[in-house]
Amino acid sequence: MAPRIATLAFLTPGNFADYDPYTGLEDTLQLFEYGERLGFDGDWRAYDLSHTRIERLAENLRGDYLGGPDTVIHSPGNTQRPRLQPHSPGLVDRLAETAELRLELPYEFHRAEYEQILHDAVELVAPALGWNSPIPA
């Protein structure tokens, strides 16, 4: 049976600097608005679903690290190589068993980077999983 995603969701940490929380919180609100426009609910046409992009998603779902060996994420608690978290062995084989795709966005990115992740998820990943935007073209 082909995968069929019916809904998309995302979680973002809402980053802000201690000296300027307003700017960070405003960026977070604008990211929510962007996500809503995407469908998280938006209009998607002409997707690039190349084999390379889909294979990269499968590698990520298998738990492979994102980026090269020097790619790391620095967070308040530690430094680690990025990969989909929490890692769930066999996840790549269970995609057809769910109707929802949830994204948990990493800490310490700029809004433009979050928007790129959401855009790619809606335009490149979700359609390959059978998702149709609820917002008419």
Side-chain angles (χ1 to χ4, degrees):
M1 174 165 81
R4 183 82 179 141
I5 298 298
T7 60
L8 298 174
F10 72 94
L11 173 67
T12 184
N15 296 323
F16 59 89
D18 290 340
Y19 63 87
D20 185 17
Y22 175 84
T23 299
L25 295 173
E26 182 62 29
D27 273 352
T28 300
L29 291 174
Q30 289 179 18
L31 183 61
F32 290 145
E33 290 175 355
Y34 179 77
E36 289 172 352
R37 287 193 310 269
L38 291 178
F40 309 104
D41 290 292
D43 175 18
W44 305 113
R45 297 175 237 172
Y47 307 127
D48 172 14
L49 298 175
S50 68
H51 180 269
T52 303
R53 288 182 183 271
I54 300 304
E55 180 57 32
R56 191 168 54 232
L57 171 63
E59 289 170 5
N60 294 339
L61 293 176
R62 285 184 198 103
D64 294 353
Y65 291 107
L66 306 174
D70 296 334
T71 303
V72 296
I73 295 176
H74 300 278
S75 63
N78 66 6
T79 299
Q80 63 186 26
R81 292 210 42 214
R83 70 176 185 178
L84 296 183
Q85 296 289 347
H87 173 61
S88 178
L91 178 61
V92 72
D93 300 319
R94 296 191 314 259
L95 272 176
E97 299 175 18
T98 186
E100 183 174 51
L101 175 63
R102 291 183 180 210
L103 303 175
E104 183 174 345
L105 302 178
Y107 286 90
E108 300 174 358
F109 280 20
H110 297 285
R111 191 175 85 229
E113 295 167 310
Y114 289 126
E115 288 179 0
Q116 183 66 54
I117 293 168
L118 295 179
H119 174 271
D120 289 349
V122 169
E123 187 166 327
L124 305 174
V125 177
L129 300 174
W131 181 76
N132 293 311
S133 172
I135 296 177

